[in-house]
Amino acid sequence: MDTAAPPQPSADPTVTQQAAQEPALALMRDLVRTYQAFYASDEEQIRQWGLTVPQFDVICTLGNTSGLMMGQIAEKTLVTKGTLTGIIDRLESKGLVRREVPPQNRRCFIVVLTPKGQQMFEEIFPAHVTYLRQRLSVLSSEEMQQIQAALQRLRGCFKSQSLFHPSD
């Protein structure tokens, strides 16, 4: 645990000007802009199926499973536990998922895709993978591996402060 006192603000304008030139700021801006561009493009494609990005994330996470508990869904998606219940409620009202109480543990429930949800998963998941493959086709396999390695290394810089996947 780091017990060092936080740095005190400086009254020297040169320090602030130097801080504004910090290369880490440019890196973070590019990272955020890249994420925003990806999210906007991804969201536009996903909305065509009548889903939000978090709903899509849950449908794809449940696909190819016999169902998952809420905690498992939260761990495997980018959805926080606090918003997951509302997402499941909306997917349930669309007839895409249902909650089931397992006979071996009646204190919890699992979320499973309905036949309609399974059919949607089988249609949208491969289509979305094709969409992503087309978008990333400008990158070589080697470039994708390099970017992935760099992102994993960057994530390690913030690992102790991860909100979604503390075990990553």
Side-chain angles (χ1 to χ4, degrees), residues 11-54:
D12 183 354
T14 320
V15 174
T16 2
Q17 291 169 350
Q18 288 173 344
Q21 300 304 312
E22 174 59 43
L25 292 178
L27 172 64
M28 291 300 114
R29 264 194 295 279
D30 281 342
L31 182 62
V32 170
R33 286 181 181 141
T34 301
Y35 175 75
Q36 288 171 334
F38 160 74
Y39 192 90
S41 175
D42 204 44
E43 181 179 39
E44 181 180 336
Q45 203 246 351
I46 289 169
R47 288 245 180 233
Q48 295 175 11
W49 294 309
L51 298 172
T52 64
V53 173

Side-chain angles (χ1 to χ4, degrees), residues 120-165:
M120 177 175 260
F121 167 72
E122 291 171 6
E123 291 172 14
I124 66 175
F125 186 67
H128 193 64
V129 170
T130 298
Y131 167 80
L132 293 175
R133 187 181 312 116
Q134 289 170 345
R135 293 300 220 160
L136 297 174
S137 66
V138 298
L139 300 172
S140 70
S141 178
E142 183 179 300
E143 287 172 314
M144 284 196 276
Q145 289 173 353
Q146 290 170 345
I147 292 168
Q148 188 175 9
L151 288 171
Q152 288 170 354
R153 191 164 173 218
L154 181 60
R155 186 173 61 231
C157 296
F158 300 97
K159 195 171 188 173
S160 65
Q161 299 174 13
S162 174
L163 297 176
F164 295 108
H165 300 285

Side-chain angles (χ1 to χ4, degrees), residues 35-106:
Y35 175 75
Q36 288 171 334
F38 160 74
Y39 192 90
S41 175
D42 204 44
E43 181 179 39
E44 181 180 336
Q45 203 246 351
I46 289 169
R47 288 245 180 233
Q48 295 175 11
W49 294 309
L51 298 172
T52 64
V53 173
Q55 290 171 351
F56 173 83
D57 196 4
V58 170
I59 294 284
C60 291
T61 299
L62 289 171
N64 294 326
T65 73
S66 57
L68 298 170
M69 290 186 285
M70 294 285 275
Q72 292 172 307
I73 297 170
E75 287 174 13
K76 294 177 182 285
T77 64
L78 297 177
V79 178
T80 62
K81 289 180 185 179
T83 60
L84 188 56
T85 300
I87 293 165
I88 298 299
D89 288 345
R90 286 184 283 290
L91 288 173
E92 199 169 32
S93 71
K94 292 179 179 193
L96 300 173
V97 301
R98 71 176 176 271
R99 293 171 169 99
E100 292 182 355
V101 178
Q104 67 275 17
N105 185 354
R106 303 194 57 71

